[in-house]
Amino acid sequence: MTVITSLDIGTHKIVAIMGRMRADAEVEIIGVGHHDSTGLKRGEVVDIDATVDAIRSAIRGVEYASGIDSGSVSGVTVGIAGSHIRCMHADGKVKIAGKEVSANDIASAIDTASAIDIGLGERMLHVLPRTFTVDRATGVTQPIGMYGKQLGVGVLLVNCADAAASNIEKCVYSCEMKVDALVLEQIASSRAVLDNDEKALGVCVVDIGGGTTDIAVYLDGALEYVGVIPIAGDQMTRDIAHALQTPLRVAQDIKERYGCAYASDVGGHERVYVEGVGGRIGREIPRQSLADVVQARYTELFVLIREQLAAEGLLGSLSAGLVLTGGSASMEGCVKLAEEHFQMAVRRGIPTQKYGVRAMMQDPKYSTGVGLLLHRADAIRAARAQAQVQNRFFARIARLFGSGARKTAVVSGY
């Protein structure tokens, strides 16, 4: 049994999720651990020691919940996000080595497309093939086996700040674990909440976290664009604290318990008790006043998202609409407000029970952690499939050459 662990290092909370790969190669979640996070700001590590302590606590929690010995987790798949993320499109072409396109030809084309200079201090995080061409045939999704002389590929390159990635890796290494993979959080969240039909039609995933709002657009089944907006749940909390003159911790609690992003849905008789700041006496306010503040902030966020999508020429391509996920997507009324603002279909994205997700984890705040786990499972399945292909190839060679194959192996080893 293969056990895998994901680590979602968020601005407010660090979540560790453990899963096991069953005999049918599907992944099943067996435990979750989380701990408050104070060492990050807008998705980036700003306090190594605080982040290390929080990671250790989250890992201990998931080990306990999963019923395994403490210290058993040796590697994790980790998410990365923040305003330092960049994406760009690139193309590559190679001559087809034989008469038919092979996996080696695809690898060569992708290497050619990604052989570009990236900014100083940046790291290439993902190289994602989008579409292929074989001679004059365009829009090819699976070129292996096709006849031709030239193979072309269009890729999306995702870069990040090397310092930001290195700080995350240092925190994990300090916990005596290795990083199995560093994955863009938009990709992870999308893996958990989207289906293939949505990706094919055109869809935008909006992951509203604590420090940043992360955007991912899929067209024709492939990732087309990623973006980041430095406004999210934290800004809403601060606005509430200022408007209601209450401490941030109280504002956060009030937001989660009584907030509503669609003010007209709030009854005029509803009241909310607000604790005073600095020992002052608390008071009751109309819930409508709270909703006005929350709606204003969500509206501002949606305006910025719309402007970013329009600037990239993507607004008219989202036939499947928007999917809101992340912790701040749980807000009452935010889906309704988004539908009104964008004039398209909007739904809330949550991990489903398809992956063994427990009832308490069917919440948008777990989308990234579950998606990281599924991403790792996909990579393991792909590696196993590749190994099986190679094993069949060498077995075929052995059958063809019989004992001669063993002699050749001895000579090569020498």
Side-chain angles (χ1 to χ4, degrees), residues 49-370:
D49 291 340
T51 304
V52 168
D53 289 343
I55 290 174
R56 284 200 179 108
S57 296
I59 292 297
R60 283 197 295 266
V62 77
E63 288 172 337
Y64 178 80
S66 303
I68 67 173
D69 293 337
S70 178
S72 296
V73 176
S74 60
V76 290
T77 298
V78 189
I80 183 170
S83 56
H84 58 94
I85 301 295
R86 300 284 185 272
C87 73
M88 66 182 77
H89 289 267
D91 299 298
K93 291 183 178 180
V94 295
K95 290 183 179 180
I96 297 171
K99 292 183 178 180
E100 300 179 10
V101 177
S102 67
N104 288 336
D105 293 323
I106 292 177
S108 296
I110 292 173
D111 286 343
T112 301
S114 58
I116 63 174
D117 290 331
I118 59 176
L120 184 65
E122 291 193 358
R123 178 191 301 191
M124 195 169 290
L125 190 61
H126 296 292
V127 180
L128 306 170
R130 296 202 69 262
T131 186
F132 296 92
T133 61
V134 179
D135 293 344
R136 295 183 179 181
T138 61
V140 177
T141 56
Q142 180 49 271
I144 290 182
M146 293 183 64
Y147 287 95
K149 295 182 179 180
Q150 187 180 67
L151 173 68
V153 63
V155 300
L156 182 71
L157 306 177
V158 180
N159 301 333
C160 68
D162 186 59
S166 296
N167 285 333
I168 291 174
E169 291 168 338
K170 180 178 180 178
C171 291
V172 174
Y173 298 151
S174 296
C175 296
E176 299 179 347
M177 299 182 296
K178 65 183 178 71
V179 176
D180 292 326
L182 195 60
V183 181
L184 182 67
E185 291 191 358
Q186 288 98 314
I187 293 177
S189 298
S190 299
R191 177 65 179 84
V193 304
L194 292 184
D195 61 34
N196 291 333
D197 288 339
E198 288 176 314
K199 292 180 180 180
L201 286 172
V203 66
C204 177
V205 177
V206 178
D207 189 333
I208 314 173
T212 62
T213 295
D214 303 325
I215 300 169
V217 176
Y218 285 80
L219 298 179
D220 300 321
L223 186 62
E224 173 72 17
Y225 171 78
V226 294
V228 180
I229 294 175
I231 291 178
D234 280 357
Q235 187 63 53
M236 300 176 197
T237 302
R238 285 193 292 271
D239 281 2
I240 292 170
H242 285 297
L244 305 186
Q245 298 178 352
T246 193
L248 282 171
R249 59 175 178 79
V250 176
Q252 179 69 24
D253 180 64
I254 289 174
K255 182 184 74 173
E256 292 176 355
R257 295 175 62 185
Y258 304 109
C260 180
Y262 204 82
S264 60
D265 280 353
V266 175
H269 64 284
E270 297 182 71
R271 311 284 292 181
V272 175
Y273 178 78
V274 179
E275 181 181 325
V277 65
R280 293 179 178 84
I281 298 174
R283 68 194 190 285
E284 281 193 346
I285 64 164
R287 189 185 174 207
Q288 180 79 49
S289 299
L290 172 64
D292 288 339
V293 176
V294 174
Q295 179 172 325
R297 182 54 64 192
Y298 272 93
T299 299
E300 179 188 2
L301 176 60
F302 292 156
V303 167
L304 293 174
I305 293 170
R306 187 182 185 90
E307 288 176 350
Q308 195 167 119
L309 294 175
E312 297 295 328
L314 296 170
L315 265 180
S317 303
L318 306 177
S319 298
L322 268 69
V323 176
L324 305 182
T325 194
S328 296
S330 298
M331 177 66 66
E332 178 187 338
C334 70
V335 170
K336 186 175 181 179
L337 182 67
E339 286 180 333
E340 185 176 280
H341 181 82
F342 289 97
Q343 291 296 296
M344 63 177 68
V346 180
R347 70 174 179 87
R348 184 175 285 112
I350 61 173
T352 67
Q353 286 183 316
K354 175 182 177 182
Y355 309 113
V357 176
R358 301 173 182 182
M360 57 84 68
M361 292 178 63
Q362 291 179 45
D363 188 298
K365 68 183 178 183
Y366 290 113
S367 295
T368 298
V370 171

Side-chain angles (χ1 to χ4, degrees), residues 1-5 18-30 66-68 72 380 384:
M1 178 182 67
T2 301
V3 176
I4 53 180
T5 306
M18 186 176 293
R20 61 185 171 205
M21 296 191 69
R22 305 181 313 214
D24 61 0
E26 291 297 324
V27 65
E28 179 181 2
I29 292 172
I30 58 176
S66 303
I68 67 173
S72 296
I380 292 173
R384 288 177 178 175

